[in-house]
């Protein structure tokens, strides 16, 4: 997708849709899912700013990962929590995520396939 | 929570957990009456009268995974600290309306904060949600409905990063257009 700086009108959104259609990439095919904890505990710890950083970084790098949210999972003291699920890999949970940590997580984990070990608080193998 | 918009996000997630498909968020800043009111109405499964009374209790939740529901009590406390209060009206099978009001100029009132990112966040997490948003500030108003945006976005989901960014920028611009001296939106 081309550089999109100021998007303000519904027409900009229509143009954006047309640009996206010209791309061959299929979102589901990338197989990456990013899950941001958005329970009361997550929101209070700053999860909304983390979500903003995730969406900004994905848009800037033109990565079509599937982003979603989840409620409280009981690790409230570790919020904001971000999980990354990639096909064929363990589900990795990052804890106490700050917006400024997001670009590195996306660059190293999503793009290079190397989780940022020092920020990982949980790992689930499900394959 | 540092911003009222974070409380709004939390109430929106309550609505989603109650199975809501349509949600209305209305914010009214009446500077003459020195009053700020936030109303969130959903068409979720609703609460019985007994449950509606209990949601103000910090130790009540409808959830099974944890046993403390803090969202509504936190907002109620924030409102009461500012000469305001909170009410919950609900009807099983119809939906729930949460209303919180504050003295606008109260020194302890949290800022509304980043409403654009708040609405973007709920729409990324729940791209199918039908949201009507109305913010009135000192006679000026900004209205947003997902129906218009969905028509323009076509088959592109609200959780698509480029669409999410468009949503946030569009909403931030709408918010800026109604701000006046003395009103607190973005910090």
């Amino acid at each position: 997708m081309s550089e999109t700086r100021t998007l303000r009108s519904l027409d900009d959104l229509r143009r954006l849709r047309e640009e996206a259609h010209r791309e061959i990439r299929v979102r589901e095919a990338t197989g990456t899912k990013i899950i941001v904890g958005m329970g009361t505990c997550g929101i209070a710890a700053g999860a909304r700013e983390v979500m903003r950083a995730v969406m900004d970084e994905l848009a800037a790098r033109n990565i079509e990962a599937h982003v979603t949210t989840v409620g409280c999972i009981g690790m409230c003291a570790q919020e904001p929590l971000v999980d990354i699920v990639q096909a064929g890999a363990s589900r990795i949970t990052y804890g106490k995520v700050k917006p400024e940590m997001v670009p590195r997580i996306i660059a190293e984990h999503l793009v290079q396939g190397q989780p940022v070990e020092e920020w990982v608080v949980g790992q689930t193998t499900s394959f | 929570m540092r911003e009222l918009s974070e409380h709004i996000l939390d109430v929106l997630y309550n609505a989603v957990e109650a199975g809501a498909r349509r949600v209305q968020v209305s914010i009214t800043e009446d500077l003459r009456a020195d009053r700020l009111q936030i109303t969130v109405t959903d068409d979720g499964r609703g609460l019985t009268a007994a449950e509606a009374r209990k949601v103000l209790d910090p130790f009540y939740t409808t959830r099974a995974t944890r046993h403390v529901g803090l969202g509504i009590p936190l907002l109620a406390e924030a409102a009461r600290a500012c000469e305001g209060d909170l009410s919950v009206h609900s009807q099983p099978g119809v939906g729930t309306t949460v209303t919180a009001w504050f003295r606008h100029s109260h020194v302890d009132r949290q800022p509304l904060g980043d409403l654009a990112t708040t609405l973007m966040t709920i729409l990324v997490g729940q791209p199918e949600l039908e949201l009507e948003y109305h913010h009135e500030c000192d006679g000026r108003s900004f209205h947003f409905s997902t129906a218009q945006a969905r028509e323009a976005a076509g088959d592109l989901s609200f959780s698509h990063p480029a669409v999410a960014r468009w949503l946030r920028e569009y909403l931030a611009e709408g918010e800026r257009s109604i701000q006046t001296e003395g009103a607190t939106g973005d910090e």
Side-chain angles (χ1 to χ4, degrees), chain A residues 1 13-14 16-18 20-21 27-28 51 55 58-59 63-69, chain B residues 119-129 144 146 149-168:
Chain A
M1 207 169 296
L13 186 52
R14 288 190 190 95
L16 216 147
R17 173 180 62 179
E18 282 152 25
H21 276 204
R27 172 205 299 255
E28 304 303 333
M51 172 62 94
M55 300 316 285
L58 293 177
I63 299 172
E64 294 200 20
H66 183 68
V67 182
T68 185
T69 57
Chain B
L119 299 179
M120 177 208 78
T121 299
I122 190 76
L123 292 175
V124 166
Q126 309 294 326
E128 306 301 322
L129 190 68
F144 170 78
T146 48
R150 213 179 298 281
E151 184 269 317
D155 55 357
L156 222 50
S157 167
F158 287 157
S159 66
H160 186 291
V163 178
R165 185 166 61 177
W166 177 87
L167 278 169
R168 179 163 55 75

Side-chain angles (χ1 to χ4, degrees), chain B residues 48-99:
Chain B
T48 64
E51 285 171 328
R53 270 194 302 278
K54 276 197 256 173
V55 292
L56 286 162
D57 174 354
F59 300 105
Y60 176 77
T61 181
T62 57
R63 298 197 44 164
T65 48
R66 65 173 152 73
H67 302 286
V68 184
L70 282 175
I72 295 291
L74 279 174
L75 178 55
E77 191 182 86
R80 287 183 198 128
C82 304
E83 294 170 42
D85 209 342
L86 176 143
S87 72
V88 178
H89 291 285
S90 192
Q91 215 181 319
V94 177
T96 302
T97 298
V98 175
T99 307

Side-chain angles (χ1 to χ4, degrees), chain A residues 35-53:
Chain A
I35 307 156
V36 183
M38 208 58 72
T40 304
C41 45
I43 296 168
R48 189 191 57 178
E49 274 57 51
V50 171
M51 172 62 94
R52 176 179 170 156

Side-chain angles (χ1 to χ4, degrees), chain A residues 1-4 23 25 30 34 52-65 100-113 116, chain B residues 160-162 165:
Chain A
M1 207 169 296
S2 63
E3 176 76 0
T4 40
E23 297 188 7
R25 208 178 319 195
T30 65
I34 302 177
R52 176 179 170 156
V54 168
M55 300 316 285
D56 279 355
E57 191 66 15
L58 293 177
R61 285 172 159 272
N62 194 20
I63 299 172
E64 294 200 20
E100 52 271 29
M101 291 157 68
V102 169
R104 191 176 152 199
I105 292 172
I106 288 178
E108 294 183 19
H109 190 153
L110 257 71
V111 178
Q112 295 162 27
V116 186
Chain B
H160 186 291
R165 185 166 61 177

